Amino acid sequence: MATAATRSMKSVLLLLSVQIMFGLLHAVISEEENLEMERQLTVINKPPIKSFKTDYGDILDCIDIYKQHAFDHPLLKNHKVQTRPKHVPKSTTEGESPRLLPDNIKCPPGSVLIKRTTKEDLIMAKKMKALGLNYPTNPAAADALFATVRYSKHNLGATTTMNTWGPSTSHDQASFANLWIANGPTDVLNVVQAGWGVVPQLYSNNYTRLMTYWTVDGYKSGCFNYMCPGFVQVHPEITLGIVLNQLSVYNGTQRDIQITLFKDGEWWLMFFNKVVGYWPKKLFFYMYAGANDVIWGGQVMSPSDEPSPAMGSGHFPRDGLQNKSAYFKDTQIWDGVNFTYPTPDQLVVCSTRPDCYEAKITPGVAPSHMDLFYGGPGRCNNI
Ligand SMILES: *[C@@H]1O[C@H](CO)[C@@H](O)[C@H](O)[C@H]1NC(C)=O
Ligand SMILES: *[C@@H]1O[C@H](CO)[C@@H](O)[C@H](O)[C@H]1NC(C)=O
Ligand SMILES: *[C@@H]1O[C@H](CO)[C@@H](O)[C@H](O)[C@H]1NC(C)=O
Ligand SMILES: *[C@@H]1O[C@H](CO)[C@@H](O)[C@H](O)[C@H]1NC(C)=O
């Protein structure tokens, strides 16, 4: 009896909270914005050849590789689709990616797997923009919280291995771990970035996801994953936005992902040994021939009236490294021929609020390899 009563009480509460959330959704979005988003979604989400629904509630579509949203970009009208880089850097061919989706989720030949963009995704992107989505070195980003390390020399990309976490955030906050490749003056900065993120969602859907972003104007415009045309998906089984379901456990087993961003003609993204897709070089004026900046580390975003969210494992590196702190290991710079480990004197460590989030480099397995440990519990005010 008591349990039935509790259960019905719970469902009333659930119903109430769902209604409150719908209320919030409608409060922040006018009818006009709502219609605009509907229109955007019909442009972004192309007619699928086949669709799947995941256990996480995502819809994944198989889209004809030649008909994806990427080609709505005016610069890509006559783009010749590449299906693979000409040269895949050797050390990226070893790491076998864990199975993230059931075996049956696989697109037929000629089509690629693309997570369907939802209204919530568009709202998330808007929120992030309102919070001042920015580049780690931009001093104008007063509300940006970063704990990073930077390498500033000519490069054609980089590879890194980072452990994955599920830091807690509120509905309005986000917590990321990224590899950024960039070049250009601040107001027209060209950037491609990839890593994992916990991004705000309406329904306590706080999964850790594979997230990318790119911009050619210093974040005035730009977008996550497939939300604007540009990124050409080539893989039939790995999609941007995919839920990373194997997370590290504090003082327990660590789970890694390997991310590689490198230029081989186009700017390619690899997830472990899998070529996910690319941003055509034509999109980038300042990264047409390479880049001059590689940054890796954590980033959190929060409205200024909320205590800031956790970054990484939610623990400071100073409270323990092994199995406890978020890290980037084996970060190497690509020069078009070789991967090389940056030396400590080539690295600049930066934490915008060291009292909230720490960044620390230490020699890795081989002394010449520097590992980055970063993160913290957050809960900082007045950011
Ligand atoms: C994510 O949401 C679930 C369900 O609301 C909750 O149980 C879990 O603690 C949350 N995880 C984090 C890291 O906030
Ligand atoms: C971490 O794990 C070890 C055993 O693996 C245990 O002895 C120790 O108490 C744990 N520390 C914390 C802070 O949980
Ligand atoms: C880290 O975890 C691994 C596997 O769970 C364990 O073998 C190792 O002893 C741990 N290291 C430390 C320093 O706790
Ligand atoms: C790449 O590495 C090889 C062997 O270590 C070396 O001979 C060559 O000069 C390197 N190439 C570049 C472009 O650094």
Side-chain angles (χ1 to χ4, degrees):
M1 286 287 271
T3 49
T6 321
R7 217 176 297 138
S8 77
M9 183 65 162
K10 268 193 183 154
S11 54
V12 167
L13 282 177
L14 185 67
L15 196 65
L16 266 179
S17 62
V18 166
Q19 280 173 352
I20 289 167
M21 282 186 203
F22 265 117
L24 280 178
L25 175 61
H26 289 294
V28 294
I29 300 165
S30 68
E31 189 54 30
E32 207 171 309
E33 282 175 305
N34 197 39
L35 284 173
E36 171 56 20
M37 279 194 283
E38 301 275 1
R39 193 199 58 80
Q40 268 177 282
L41 290 176
T42 61
V43 177
I44 297 172
N45 296 317
K46 300 303 182 196
I49 290 171
K50 202 170 171 180
S51 297
F52 307 94
K53 184 163 185 180
T54 70
D55 292 346
Y56 309 105
D58 296 336
I59 311 250
L60 309 183
D61 291 326
C62 295
I63 306 290
D64 181 331
I65 188 168
Y66 297 104
K67 295 187 178 155
Q68 52 185 306
H69 183 42
F71 304 121
D72 289 334
H73 196 290
L75 289 175
L76 304 181
K77 281 290 171 254
N78 298 309
H79 180 72
K80 187 169 175 300
V81 177
Q82 320 279 305
T83 52
R84 277 194 77 72
K86 288 186 185 67
H87 312 282
V88 176
K90 234 198 200 90
S91 69
T92 62
T93 57
E94 285 145 22
E96 186 58 43
S97 79
R99 192 82 212 155
L100 297 173
L101 293 168
D103 284 336
N104 67 314
I105 301 189
K106 185 175 178 19
C107 289
S111 66
V112 294
L113 192 68
I114 294 185
K115 179 187 170 294
R116 194 179 295 178
T117 299
T118 63
K119 209 176 279 182
E120 276 200 283
D121 292 330
L122 297 180
I123 295 169
M124 176 278 286
K126 254 190 183 171
K127 276 188 190 168
M128 292 296 96
K129 203 160 163 52
L131 291 178
L133 189 68
N134 224 316
Y135 191 62
T137 60
N138 189 346
D143 49 358
L145 295 172
F146 292 100
T148 58
V149 61
R150 177 184 191 183
Y151 170 93
S152 305
K153 275 183 183 320
H154 180 74
N155 65 80
L156 293 175
T159 187
T160 192
T161 295
M162 57 182 106
N163 56 356
T164 51
W165 296 91
S168 43
T169 64
S170 78
H171 290 304
D172 297 315
Q173 302 174 324
S175 190
F176 296 95
N178 276 323
L179 174 66
W180 289 267
I181 312 283
N183 194 40
T186 306
D187 63 333
V188 283
L189 188 72
N190 288 196
V191 186
V192 293
Q193 67 188 62
W196 59 259
V198 177
V199 293
Q201 297 279 332
L202 216 47
Y203 307 107
S204 22
N205 171 340
N206 52 8
Y207 302 123
T208 300
R209 295 175 183 276
L210 176 64
M211 296 296 293
T212 64
Y213 195 88
W214 70 283
T215 179
V216 291
D217 60 8
Y219 292 88
K220 289 190 286 293
S221 68
C223 52
F224 289 104
N225 299 352
Y226 309 107
M227 290 176 219
C228 62
F231 183 78
V232 180
Q233 173 75 22
V234 303
H235 206 280
E237 290 171 56
I238 304 277
T239 172
L240 304 182
I242 198 168
V243 172
L244 302 171
N245 52 14
Q246 302 190 351
L247 301 180
S248 302
V249 175
Y250 183 72
N251 201 27
T253 308
Q254 301 301 292
R255 303 290 192 182
D256 290 339
I257 57 171
Q258 186 188 358
I259 295 282
T260 307
L261 288 167
F262 74 105
K263 191 167 184 302
D264 180 74
E266 326 297 356
W267 279 98
W268 293 88
L269 166 67
M270 291 183 71
F271 179 73
F272 291 92
N273 59 350
K274 301 213 160 47
V275 178
V276 183
Y278 64 94
W279 293 271
K281 65 173 186 285
K282 219 177 165 186
L283 299 173
F284 305 98
F285 182 81
Y286 289 99
M287 277 172 46
Y288 191 82
N292 271 299
D293 222 4
V294 179
I295 295 186
W296 54 104
Q299 170 184 24
V300 297
M301 306 185 71
S302 175
S304 54
D305 60 351
E306 283 183 38
S308 66
M311 179 193 286
S313 70
H315 295 267
F316 289 114
R318 59 175 172 264
D319 295 336
L321 300 182
Q322 273 307 319
N323 299 345
K324 292 182 174 165
S325 173
Y327 59 69
F328 286 72
K329 293 191 304 195
D330 293 330
T331 308
Q332 299 174 72
I333 310 298
W334 179 243
D335 62 12
V337 181
N338 299 316
F339 273 120
T340 48
Y341 288 96
T343 55
D345 60 297
Q346 294 172 324
L347 299 176
V348 178
V349 180
C350 167
S351 172
T352 50
R353 277 288 297 266
D355 54 328
C356 311
Y357 308 102
E358 199 187 348
K360 174 192 170 90
I361 54 171
T362 70
V365 186
S368 60
H369 308 179
M370 301 305 289
D371 292 341
L372 168 70
F373 290 90
Y374 71 97
R379 296 195 291 269
C380 288
N381 292 308
N382 306 317
I383 56 162

